[in-house]
Amino acid sequence: PLYLLTFKIAPALAAGNTVVAKPSEMTSVTAWLMCKVFQEAGLPAGVCNMVFGTGATTGQALTSHPDVPVISFTGGTATAEVIRRTIAPFNKKVSLELGGKNPSVVFADANLDDCIATHMRSCFANQGEICLCTSRVFVQDTIYDEFVEKFVAATRKLKVGSPKSADTKIGALISSEHRDKVKSYIEIGRQDGRVLCGEGVDAPVELPAGLQKGYYVQPTVIVDCADSSRCMQEEIFGPVACISKFHSQEEVVERANDVKYGLAACVWSRDISRVHSVAHDLQAGTVWTNCWMVRDLNMPFGGMKASGTGREGFKDSMDFFTESKTVCIKM
């Protein structure tokens, strides 16, 4: 949450604007602490203003106010639809970075050891509560069984527990409501396919004293779901990975694109020609090849389809937070 705020506030201030920022009501503490940093740094009062509240009240008041000309939002697709309807009469400039159902395409010639290790991050980092996390893993049929076996074994090694422990890989989810939502998708996966490890399969995690009421979900692997399953179509935003088998490049590109989202994707192959071909055909704003979350703030960042509107990054953000003007002078 803190990263997302700074990713928007910094270019807005650099472009000479004042800012009114509203963090999620679920992540207000880090934003409040950042206010103290601004004060200690000597930022003049009124340059960056932090307001707290829910989206339905504070967020609505901001987006509908006639004196707020530019909106940059990161969050859910449903909220973005409300923002679009709200700002339409005002013709405000808007940038929307929304959800994803990000695919990873693993071809038979991929480096499996590196691939599996990276997927443990791309699927389960921050408990899967990152919009860029991999949610659907498509594996070529000739290596499918080996991949699944290694993937499940690696997933079971991820430690669930206290954030104060250096070897913890999976912490608590943001709220009890979200935990219940994630678990409901796992039940859908159990009905539509098979749950190989995690919730309802492995023994419950023994949490340290004081954490038993935490909103924990074990990292879970689901297979054999049809592409039409809600587990394959809807954003889960938790530590859940769905693995599917594919045969040909043409098939997997079509299936990977068969969702309403288009935020990010990964391609795993040693064949550079194939990598370029697949990356070109995937409907995603960012495509990583043989890696994940390699970022440079100069790179344009944003999604296609229901994953957003516009791009952010150094040049794109500076363009967004400024207005171009043409002045013609006859001497």
Side-chain angles (χ1 to χ4, degrees):
L2 185 61
Y3 162 76
L4 293 175
L5 269 178
T6 58
F7 193 59
K8 296 176 183 296
I9 290 174
L13 294 179
N17 301 286
T18 55
V19 173
V20 180
K22 191 206 88 65
S24 166
E25 59 269 27
M26 304 302 296
T27 60
S28 299
V29 174
T30 50
W32 175 70
L33 290 172
M34 188 165 67
C35 294
K36 291 190 172 184
V37 174
F38 285 153
Q39 289 180 324
E40 292 174 3
L43 192 70
V47 173
C48 184
N49 309 274
M50 201 74 65
V51 295
F52 301 93
T54 65
T57 55
T58 309
Q60 180 69 16
L62 272 175
T63 55
S64 62
H65 199 287
D67 290 340
V68 178
V70 178
I71 307 291
S72 180
F73 171 76
T74 295
T77 305
T79 304
E81 292 175 357
V82 175
I83 291 175
R84 284 193 178 102
R85 290 195 297 269
T86 300
I87 68 174
F90 300 95
N91 197 32
K92 297 185 180 189
K93 186 187 289 189
V94 63
S95 174
L96 303 172
E97 193 272 288
L98 310 177
K101 192 65 181 174
N102 308 312
S104 179
V105 179
V106 182
F107 287 96
D109 63 341
N111 180 329
L112 274 193
D113 290 339
D114 187 27
C115 180
I116 295 292
T118 302
H119 275 83
M120 291 301 103
R121 293 174 48 244
S122 72
C123 293
F124 303 120
N126 201 47
Q127 304 78 243
E129 293 178 307
I130 302 175
C131 59
L132 296 168
C133 273
T134 300
S135 180
R136 299 173 294 148
V137 185
F138 295 96
V139 183
Q140 199 155 29
D141 48 12
T142 55
I143 61 165
Y144 178 81
D145 291 339
E146 179 186 4
F147 180 92
V148 170
E149 181 181 355
K150 290 184 176 181
F151 192 98
V152 170
T155 301
R156 283 188 162 130
K157 292 179 181 179
L158 299 175
K159 180 180 176 180
V160 180
S162 171
K164 295 181 180 180
S165 177
D167 58 347
T168 293
K169 300 299 182 183
I170 305 292
L173 296 176
I174 189 65
S175 68
S176 59
E177 293 81 9
H178 187 57
R179 175 201 58 197
D180 294 343
K181 173 189 171 185
V182 172
K183 286 188 174 183
S184 74
Y185 277 105
I186 295 173
E187 287 307 309
I188 292 172
R190 204 181 312 279
Q191 297 168 15
D192 294 351
R194 291 185 297 140
V195 178
L196 298 186
C197 69
E199 288 291 319
V201 175
D202 297 329
V205 176
E206 295 184 5
L207 295 167
L211 298 180
Q212 286 85 354
K213 294 183 179 180
Y215 312 133
Y216 287 90
V217 173
Q218 292 172 273
T220 301
V221 178
I222 302 172
V223 297
D224 297 341
C225 284
D227 290 346
S228 58
S229 169
R230 290 178 61 194
C231 282
M232 297 290 285
Q233 290 291 321
E234 300 176 10
E235 186 178 35
I236 300 174
F237 211 63
V240 180
C242 299
I243 307 178
S244 293
K245 185 188 303 184
F246 76 90
H247 178 68
S248 68
Q249 176 176 324
E250 294 75 14
E251 169 207 343
V252 74
V253 168
E254 181 178 354
R255 293 172 62 193
N257 289 337
D258 188 27
V259 292
K260 68 178 182 179
Y261 298 103
L263 185 58
C266 294
V267 181
W268 289 85
S269 174
R270 290 182 171 95
D271 186 335
I272 191 65
S273 296
R274 172 189 283 157
V275 162
H276 278 292
S277 175
V278 174
H280 177 273
D281 292 340
L282 288 173
Q283 296 169 355
T286 298
V287 180
W288 286 291
T289 58
N290 301 321
C291 61
W292 178 71
M293 199 60 92
V294 177
R295 298 287 302 276
D296 185 307
L297 294 182
N298 291 297
M299 296 164 53
F301 173 70
M304 300 179 180
K305 303 191 288 188
S307 288
T309 300
R311 294 292 183 270
E312 296 181 350
F314 176 72
K315 180 181 182 301
D316 297 88
S317 293
M318 293 301 288
D319 288 344
F320 177 73
F321 287 116
T322 57
E323 288 285 359
S324 297
K325 178 185 291 187
T326 300
V327 178
C328 298
I329 302 176
K330 181 179 179 180
M331 302 297 292

